[in-house]
Amino acid sequence: MLLLSSCSTPQEDAPSALEPAGDGATGATCEAVEIGAFTRCENFYEDFWPEIDRQMDALYEQAKETDGGRLVVWDWYELSPEVIAEFNGRYPDIEIETRGLTYNLPSAVISAQATGARNTDVLSGSLLSAAAMTDEGYWDEVDWTQFGIPEEFLELGGAGMLPDSMNGSLMQVNTDRIEAPASLDELLAPEYEGKVSIANYNPIVFSGYGMAEGEDAMVDLIGELKSSGTLQVLEDQNSPLSSGDVPIALNQTLFNPNPSLAAQPFDHSGVFAQFSGVNIDADNKPGAMLWALWNAFDPDWLELRMTDEQFSTTQVPYPGLPTSLFEQATGLMEKNADALLLSIENGAETETEATRDEWIALTNAADAALNG
């Protein structure tokens, strides 16, 4: 489900990776707080951001002179005009072209390179969703520490993968209709019969359970949830969740502002970092680097994401960023950030490079149990 194959290799004459403007080393030491598998740098904006900001100014000057200032960004979802407007408010001479490709993102990147079509400049995804792009060598090996990023941020991903956000498995709950349990096993209680939904494309919700309890236990649980009538596989989870007809949805972050809805972690949930980076096949590499750094770390942009409802469905920022960033969250972003951070604090399973293939195997096994 997650892996693609290709006999092609990225073009060798693509523009080379950029060097930092001067000495990008900050000399700063991360004031580290361990948050599960993540390392938080509480002094990020005081001691690291000024140098990153300086490097971004230099990247901008190069980006607007590269490929006519054109920047192509393909992602899971198409960038909204409002997001592009915020970026162009600071970088006005960059013209962004965007596409939303969901699960087809890796295959689109590989196909564009194979056919010689204009490719995305920016890569994005989790360790699992980007596995094909990683295995085919599409992440340009940018040394992000040379642009001011603390090395502690780069421990979970591979070379060139800049962590930009987090996501994970959550129970979405209509609190007017039901009280959700603390674990997936407890959903087998009679009062949850017919009350739980999942989308057929989201078997990864069970993968953290599989990492903790083993594949056989995970497959058995899925089978019991289905055979008992507890779990419904629905194309549209949102409407019955919002109405209360099916008041628990196994999913990830909430997109629905209905005040009756909550997001909560559960035992053995999975939390994963999401990454961005530069496509080895990119035509505007400085633009790709600029976008990745701005989207992941710019404090003005992240403040909007944390507090402005029109940006509240964008991904939750990377947990390595300071506590103060998350404390300002409101609305949907507050619900989602609080739930994911609590999940991490409670020992959520987290994808790493070392466990990536195990996660993929478990997700494939969960998919077969759910949809087979």
Side-chain angles (χ1 to χ4, degrees):
M1 179 180 71
L2 293 166
L3 296 179
L4 300 166
S5 63
S6 169
C7 61
S8 65
T9 55
Q11 62 186 47
E12 296 179 357
D13 58 352
S16 60
L18 292 170
E19 298 296 324
D23 184 2
T26 65
T29 300
C30 171
E31 293 178 3
V33 177
E34 300 306 317
I35 310 291
F38 303 90
T39 300
R40 172 169 289 169
C41 293
E42 291 288 8
N43 59 328
F44 177 80
Y45 284 110
E46 291 81 6
D47 297 334
F48 291 90
W49 174 250
E51 177 57 29
I52 298 169
D53 196 32
R54 186 181 76 84
Q55 293 291 338
M56 289 167 64
D57 288 341
L59 288 168
Y60 173 54
E61 294 302 317
Q62 297 176 72
K64 65 185 180 181
E65 301 300 327
T66 303
D67 197 29
R70 180 188 184 193
L71 177 64
V72 178
V73 182
W74 297 351
D75 206 335
W76 200 261
Y77 301 110
E78 182 177 309
L79 299 177
S80 72
E82 292 80 10
V83 171
I84 294 172
E86 290 299 325
F87 177 79
N88 285 145
R90 179 170 177 184
Y91 304 111
D93 297 316
I94 305 294
E95 182 178 353
I96 293 181
E97 299 175 10
T98 181
R99 294 174 65 191
L101 294 156
T102 62
Y103 288 97
N104 295 316
L105 179 59
S107 60
V109 171
I110 293 169
S111 176
Q113 191 281 325
T115 61
R118 179 63 160 89
N119 214 329
T120 181
D121 296 308
V122 178
L123 297 185
S124 60
S126 69
L127 288 169
L128 271 68
S129 68
M133 295 186 293
T134 300
D135 293 345
E136 293 288 337
Y138 278 84
W139 294 85
D140 205 339
E141 295 188 7
V142 178
D143 182 356
W144 293 104
T145 64
Q146 295 300 305
F147 294 83
I149 301 301
E151 62 183 10
E152 288 84 355
F153 282 15
L154 306 173
E155 294 170 349
L156 292 178
M161 300 181 80
L162 181 74
D164 61 28
S165 55
M166 62 172 164
N167 208 336
S169 303
L170 298 168
M171 286 190 193
Q172 299 177 359
V173 186
N174 188 318
T175 58
D176 289 344
R177 295 299 183 94
I178 204 164
E179 181 177 341
S183 72
L184 295 176
D185 293 293
E186 291 176 82
L187 289 173
L188 290 169
E191 60 264 34
Y192 298 111
E193 184 176 346
K195 303 295 185 182
V196 186
S197 74
I198 189 172
N200 65 351
Y201 55 79
N202 213 6
I204 197 171
V205 166
F206 290 100
S207 300
Y209 185 96
M211 289 293 294
E213 301 292 339
E215 181 178 324
D216 290 344
M218 178 193 70
V219 170
D220 288 346
L221 174 62
I222 295 170
E224 289 182 60
L225 288 169
K226 290 179 66 180
S227 63
S228 67
T230 297
L231 185 63
Q232 302 182 48
V233 180
L234 301 178
E235 183 175 346
D236 172 24
Q237 291 177 277
N238 185 60
S239 297
L241 173 69
S242 196
S243 68
D245 293 338
V246 186
I248 297 176
L250 301 182
N251 209 316
Q252 296 174 18
T253 48
L254 269 171
F255 283 68
N256 188 326
N258 182 341
S260 298
L261 304 185
Q264 68 178 58
F266 52 86
D267 292 349
H268 306 321
S269 59
V271 173
F272 51 90
Q274 298 175 133
F275 302 88
S276 52
V278 181
N279 188 352
I280 196 76
D281 195 38
D283 285 345
N284 194 339
K285 292 189 177 184
M289 296 174 71
L290 177 65
W291 168 265
L293 291 167
W294 175 83
N295 186 52
F297 305 124
D298 184 277
D300 295 330
W301 168 231
L302 293 189
E303 181 180 2
L304 279 177
R305 284 172 54 179
M306 302 305 279
T307 60
D308 190 324
E309 284 298 314
Q310 69 176 320
F311 302 116
S312 64
T313 55
T314 56
Q315 296 161 341
V316 176
Y318 186 63
L321 293 172
T323 303
S324 57
L325 171 71
F326 297 96
E327 288 176 341
Q328 64 184 322
T330 60
L332 270 174
M333 185 60 81
E334 182 179 18
K335 289 182 180 182
N336 289 326
D338 286 353
L340 289 174
L341 291 172
L342 179 60
S343 187
I344 293 170
E345 292 168 6
N346 289 347
E349 302 291 329
T350 302
E351 299 168 8
T352 67
E353 268 202 296
T355 61
R356 189 202 74 171
D357 289 346
E358 186 177 357
W359 276 91
I360 289 172
L362 286 168
T363 303
N364 288 338
D367 180 53
L370 186 67
N371 298 305

